[in-house]
Amino acid sequence: MVRIENLYKTYNYKKSTAFEALKDINLTIDDGEMVAIIGKSGAGKSTLLHILGCIDTFEKGSCFIDDTDTSNLSDRQLAKIRNEKIGIIMQDFALVEDFSVCQNVQIPLRFAGIKGSKAKKMIKDALETVGILSLSNKMCSQLSGGQKQRVAIARAIVNNPSLILADEPTGALDSKTSLDIMEVFKDLHKKGKTVIIITHDDNVANMCERKIAILDGKII
């Protein structure tokens, strides 16, 4: 379960250029939910996702991932939670273009110290889940946008995280490919994963169970 209580996030905190990105956020997302977080550009969607993903910090409030309050954890402790419990997918795929599909998916396993036959099986399972096992040895620079997004999803799920976060995962894709990618997320949801998708696309949001709207850093 994800739970946020009275959370505030200010960039350039206590400086003349301070900007309050999130204001008194209270939010609960149960295990196994598929949720869309919607709002205009600059509303605070990506900031919220970065906090949920233990990428960014905040100065007030609490953020619980399962029963762990992330507010006072060290960088090392946050990295451990990210690697074990959270899979993150970015809009621009964030792949290493001169790596193969297999090498990109392997990256989280290297951080986790997983090697050999166990790593190979985990990579194979992740690629099968997103339907691109046949592309294992292809260079990412040779893939289409939809294929790259599937690689990004495979990399995010290779460690079998319980929480999947996706930041505008269809933003760089055409409408048909977007629907195909959303079917991948729906399949992951059916398997019990908690899926949180940041989007400004109503069609994407409508494919989720619940929509949470943000405006000017507040949940409305």
Side-chain angles (χ1 to χ4, degrees):
M1 183 176 71
V2 172
R3 189 170 84 254
I4 289 179
E5 298 175 348
N6 309 118
L7 187 143
Y8 289 78
K9 168 65 181 178
T10 304
Y11 290 107
N12 299 322
Y13 187 54
K14 292 185 177 180
K15 296 182 180 179
S16 60
T17 55
F19 170 70
E20 199 170 43
L22 296 175
K23 308 165 188 176
D24 197 21
I25 298 292
N26 290 275
L27 173 65
T28 299
I29 297 173
D30 291 329
D31 290 342
E33 276 199 274
M34 185 170 177
V35 176
I37 298 177
I38 61 174
K40 295 180 179 179
S41 179
K45 305 187 303 298
S46 292
T47 299
L48 179 57
L49 181 134
H50 291 163
I51 288 171
L52 290 171
C54 298
I55 297 171
D56 208 349
T57 57
F58 49 94
E59 63 277 358
K60 296 180 184 178
S62 301
C63 176
F64 290 87
I65 305 297
D66 292 332
D67 295 322
T68 302
D69 186 354
T70 66
S71 58
N72 294 310
L73 297 184
S74 67
D75 289 344
R76 188 169 184 173
Q77 289 171 318
L78 291 172
K80 188 172 187 292
I81 290 176
R82 279 198 306 272
N83 198 254
E84 293 178 355
K85 295 189 175 185
I86 303 169
I88 303 175
I89 300 125
M90 300 299 185
Q91 178 179 350
D92 62 356
F93 318 128
L95 302 175
V96 182
E97 290 286 315
D98 57 355
F99 275 19
S100 69
V101 168
C102 187
Q103 287 172 320
N104 268 281
V105 177
Q106 186 181 15
I107 291 172
L109 301 181
R110 288 182 175 178
F111 283 108
I114 300 171
K115 303 176 183 178
S117 59
K118 182 177 180 181
K120 287 180 181 179
K121 184 181 186 305
M122 292 172 75
I123 293 166
K124 179 176 179 287
D125 290 347
L127 292 175
E128 282 184 333
T129 296
V130 300
I132 55 169
L133 182 59
S134 62
L135 301 177
S136 295
N137 297 315
K138 197 163 185 176
M139 302 302 290
C140 282
S141 58
Q142 299 174 323
L143 302 179
S144 68
Q147 289 170 335
K148 287 181 179 180
Q149 193 60 288
R150 287 175 187 266
V151 177
I153 296 170
R155 183 183 57 191
I157 66 172
V158 70
N159 270 345
N160 195 29
S162 56
L163 174 62
I164 297 170
L165 307 175
D167 192 358
E168 297 284 3
T170 64
L173 306 176
D174 61 65
S175 56
K176 182 185 181 305
T177 307
S178 295
L179 289 174
D180 291 341
I181 292 300
M182 284 304 297
E183 287 301 323
V184 175
F185 285 117
K186 287 172 71 176
D187 286 344
L188 291 168
H189 168 238
K190 288 175 184 176
K191 292 176 180 178
K193 304 294 185 185
T194 304
V195 180
I196 302 174
I197 298 176
I198 301 291
T199 187
H200 64 270
D201 187 330
D202 288 339
N203 291 325
V204 170
N206 289 336
M207 294 178 75
C208 298
E209 292 179 322
R210 181 158 62 110
K211 292 186 279 188
I212 298 166
I214 293 184
L215 178 66
D216 297 331
K218 295 182 178 181
I219 291 177
I220 58 172

